[in-house]
Amino acid sequence: MRKKLMVEKIEKRNERLWLISDHPSFSLEHAKPKNHMLVDSDNIAFIYILETEEDFIYVAIPYELWPDMKRVLTEDIPIFLQSGTVELELTNFKEELAYLIENIDGNANYGEQMEQAVKEIFLT
């Protein structure tokens, strides 16, 4: 089964970048990072995957938050998710994001809108 959690804002504090979901509809208490990201071309979002014994949890980072996320590529800063009272480090985030951006550039398989959005935010 798959669940989806939408990141609502991004903040830098205590030398960490925090992806924040203030209103989760389920608990992330037993979730662990899968160290993998996907692309949601239909909704123009990056998806970081978490897993539990029963579920995959897709952490969606919408286009509107990408300018705040861009600093991940230029700063050596750990990425954390805060969802309700749970705080979880999103390991391998920078590497996965850089890999996706490189693959999306000039690749029509991701869709024209996704390619243009990535160019606009990350490649200018």
Side-chain angles (χ1 to χ4, degrees):
M1 196 166 127
R2 179 177 55 188
K3 296 179 178 177
K4 189 172 182 180
L5 180 73
M6 185 65 67
V7 174
E8 299 163 356
K9 59 186 171 183
I10 296 178
E11 296 177 358
K12 183 178 179 183
R13 59 179 197 265
N14 302 327
E15 297 306 312
R16 296 176 176 175
L17 195 67
W18 292 89
L19 308 183
I20 301 168
S21 177
D22 286 328
H23 305 96
S25 59
F26 51 88
S27 174
L28 295 180
E29 192 171 335
H30 299 288
K32 296 177 184 167
K34 187 154 174 54
N35 298 315
H36 189 68
M37 287 180 80
L38 301 171
V39 170
D40 179 350
S41 295
D42 293 335
N43 295 305
I44 313 298
F46 287 105
I47 307 290
Y48 186 92
I49 303 173
L50 302 175
E51 62 184 338
T52 66
E53 288 185 21
E54 301 85 30
D55 298 314
F56 286 108
I57 301 167
Y58 286 9
V59 179
I61 306 140
Y63 170 80
E64 296 77 27
L65 299 178
W66 290 4
D68 294 326
M69 194 173 67
K70 183 177 180 177
R71 67 174 41 160
V72 168
L73 300 172
T74 57
E75 297 179 26
D76 190 21
I77 183 170
I79 314 306
F80 280 77
L81 174 66
Q82 179 181 328
S83 179
T85 59
V86 174
E87 295 178 350
L88 183 65
E89 184 172 7
L90 303 181
T91 52
N92 210 37
F93 190 99
K94 179 178 182 175
E95 295 80 3
E96 285 289 307
L97 179 61
Y99 174 79
L100 285 172
I101 289 168
E102 183 179 317
N103 278 301
I104 292 168
D105 186 26
N107 189 338
N109 291 333
Y110 289 94
E112 188 177 318
Q113 280 186 301
M114 185 69 180
E115 183 184 0
Q116 184 58 40
V118 166
K119 281 183 181 179
E120 181 181 312
I121 301 297
F122 294 102
L123 301 173
T124 56

